[in-house]
Amino acid sequence: MAKIELKGITKIYSGNVLAVEKSNVTIEDREFCVFVGPSGCGKSTTLRMIAGLEEITGGELYIDGELMNDVPPKDRNIAMVFQDYALYPHMTVYDNMAYGLKIRKIDKEEIDRRVHEASKILSLDDYLGRLPKALSGGQRQRVAVGRAIVRSPKVFLFDEPLSNLDAKLRVQMRAEISDLHNRLQATMIYVTHDQVEAMTMGTKIVVMSEKRIQQVGSPIYLYDHPINKFVAGFIGTPPMNFFKVKIADKNGKIIATEEEQGFSFIPTESQQKTLKPYAGKEVWFGVRPEDILYNESAAAENNMSVKVVNKEPLGAETNVFFNVQGTKVVAKCEPTVNPQLGAVINFSPRMENVKFFDMNTELNICEQEEIAKTKTW
């Protein structure tokens, strides 16, 4: 398949409108790389530059070591699956999948072999004679994927392919595309704004915001070691909670205090060292819902006594909401935790997992050395 290298890739539209700024990332052969971020962050533009559908303003794009900046899309041996399927409505499933091979004048027997091989992989054998209007959304998306498979490309590109499907079908198609990657052992690049898709499908995730790459890594690494407040809040469901604390040095011991409601937290030994220069300053305190632990008693260390403002019983777990500094904070609890609205209950953050972020730069204060060891972008 193919190794893809983006070296300082930049896109500027007319009127000096910046779309992507100096993106550096290497996608290894056979990796499933997901570009994820909010709308307008530059992820789809980056994908279109890889495909050759957008001209590269600055930087270099390499596929298997060959410079691709000026190579036409048809000569890059890349197949792209779009959000809207882009099927020909008057053609059968078979003809939609075969069309790209026909215009390349591939032998009819070879076309038939490839189409049937792809249809078997995607469970489309029974639909080859149907028109797209007779298919469900998931089936149409499989046809679009099949059209890409028959070309045997070096790279598969997916541009938010599941966004038009309902929630249940999205879950099913996520699994099918992941299984397809495992079967084909192909290099795949997938763009989405849905971080759940990114976490469940990608072997490598590229998080983008404000036209730039924020962080690159495996799903679990980004979850455990976010480089900044944006990545920490974007990766994870429900998202990480944030509120301000003031760092105090009391007789050589660092304490993080939430002054509005009087919570005091004792950082871990390693956190103490990196937080020491922040004594007297405010920082962002970040804690994931699953790291807010229910206490039977207010006497527990690092306790927060809070008033319940909402709850979501989900069967396997219960999300409990309370306010800190006017912002809703959610704790993911065991299903046996089922407090009444308005009740005052007790929680403690799991301090070894909490994050502290600089108030100005929003960088992860305590893990910069760890993250620097893996930085490749």
Side-chain angles (χ1 to χ4, degrees):
M1 287 295 171
K3 176 180 178 179
I4 300 173
E5 297 169 278
L6 280 65
K7 297 185 176 182
I9 293 296
T10 297
K11 177 63 181 180
I12 301 174
Y13 288 107
S14 60
N16 205 31
V17 177
L18 179 66
V20 177
E21 183 177 8
K22 296 180 181 177
S23 289
N24 295 285
V25 64
T26 298
I27 301 157
E28 300 293 345
D29 183 28
R30 302 184 181 184
E31 270 192 326
F32 194 131
C33 181
V34 180
F35 282 73
V36 64
S39 297
C41 69
K43 57 189 184 297
S44 288
T45 302
T46 301
L47 193 77
R48 291 174 65 82
M49 285 192 284
I50 295 171
L53 302 178
E54 292 282 1
E55 192 174 306
I56 297 171
T57 307
E60 297 173 332
L61 168 68
Y62 293 89
I63 298 179
D64 276 344
E66 184 180 349
L67 183 64
M68 287 284 155
N69 287 43
D70 299 318
V71 175
K74 65 182 178 64
D75 297 328
R76 296 191 184 195
N77 198 10
I78 284 174
M80 192 162 179
V81 179
F82 296 92
Q83 178 179 342
D84 60 359
Y85 319 140
L87 301 179
Y88 295 106
H90 61 289
M91 291 186 184
T92 64
V93 168
Y94 183 100
D95 289 334
N96 264 285
M97 293 171 66
Y99 182 71
L101 301 178
K102 288 178 179 177
I103 62 174
R104 288 172 175 78
K105 305 199 182 303
I106 303 294
D107 179 76
K108 284 185 178 181
E109 288 187 5
E110 176 64 13
I111 291 175
D112 192 64
R113 183 190 69 79
R114 291 195 197 182
V115 169
H116 279 94
E117 187 177 88
S119 68
K120 185 176 181 181
I121 291 172
L122 296 166
S123 301
L124 289 171
D125 284 337
D126 295 336
Y127 304 98
L128 292 177
R130 294 190 187 183
L131 293 174
K133 67 181 180 181
L135 304 177
S136 69
Q139 289 164 343
R140 289 180 211 171
Q141 192 55 273
R142 285 205 293 270
V143 176
V145 173
R147 185 176 52 195
I149 290 174
V150 298
R151 291 183 51 196
S152 301
K154 281 187 175 183
V155 183
F156 289 85
L157 305 180
F158 295 86
D159 190 8
E160 305 214 35
L162 309 184
S163 59
N164 289 337
L165 305 180
D166 62 48
K168 185 177 180 180
L169 202 48
R170 281 203 301 272
V171 173
Q172 179 186 331
M173 285 301 298
R174 284 206 309 258
E176 289 188 14
I177 292 174
S178 294
D179 182 57
L180 182 66
H181 174 254
N182 293 331
R183 294 178 68 171
L184 298 180
Q185 286 295 291
T187 304
M188 293 185 175
I189 304 176
Y190 188 103
V191 161
T192 181
H193 63 274
D194 185 338
Q195 58 91 17
V196 174
E197 282 185 19
M199 291 288 287
T200 55
M201 298 175 72
T203 55
K204 174 182 283 181
I205 297 179
V206 179
V207 182
M208 295 190 70
S209 177
E210 301 295 330
K211 327 300 182 188
R212 296 180 66 92
I213 292 175
Q214 300 293 313
Q215 191 172 8
V216 179
S218 70
I220 296 302
Y221 189 86
L222 296 188
Y223 183 85
D224 289 337
H225 305 288
I227 191 172
N228 57 29
K229 185 171 176 276
F230 173 81
V231 175
F234 197 81
I235 299 294
T237 305
M240 182 178 279
N241 303 292
F242 300 101
F243 51 86
K244 297 175 185 177
V245 296
K246 190 169 185 179
I247 303 301
D249 187 341
K250 295 187 177 179
N251 300 319
K253 189 169 188 176
I254 298 297
I255 296 176
T257 305
E258 193 287 312
E259 297 183 331
E260 186 175 298
Q261 291 170 245
F263 307 144
S264 289
F265 309 117
I266 302 173
T268 66
E269 190 174 326
S270 61
Q271 291 167 349
Q272 295 255 344
K273 294 176 183 177
T274 49
L275 288 171
K276 201 171 183 67
Y278 284 83
K281 298 178 181 178
E282 281 192 327
V283 299
W284 286 108
F285 182 90
V287 58
R288 296 199 182 279
E290 55 270 35
D291 289 323
I292 301 178
L293 309 179
Y294 173 71
N295 296 328
E296 294 286 349
S297 161
E301 188 175 58
N302 302 318
N303 185 69
M304 300 183 288
S305 292
V306 295
K307 183 183 289 187
V308 177
V309 297
N310 198 6
K311 61 180 179 179
E312 294 176 341
L314 300 175
E317 62 198 29
T318 299
N319 290 335
V320 178
F321 296 84
F322 54 93
N323 288 327
V324 177
Q325 298 170 0
T327 300
K328 271 190 179 177
V329 173
V330 57
K332 188 182 289 188
C333 305
E334 294 291 326
T336 53
V337 178
N338 188 27
Q340 296 296 314
L341 297 185
V344 175
I345 60 174
N346 302 292
F347 290 106
S348 291
R350 186 183 278 116
M351 292 304 294
E352 62 269 25
N353 289 350
V354 305
K355 310 297 177 187
F356 295 91
F357 301 95
D358 186 283
M359 192 61 68
N360 297 315
T361 65
E362 298 194 344
L363 290 174
N364 184 335
I365 294 170
C366 299
E367 299 180 60
Q368 283 304 302
E369 285 188 19
E370 162 67 30
I371 294 167
K373 294 175 187 175
T374 65
K375 188 169 182 180
T376 57
W377 64 97

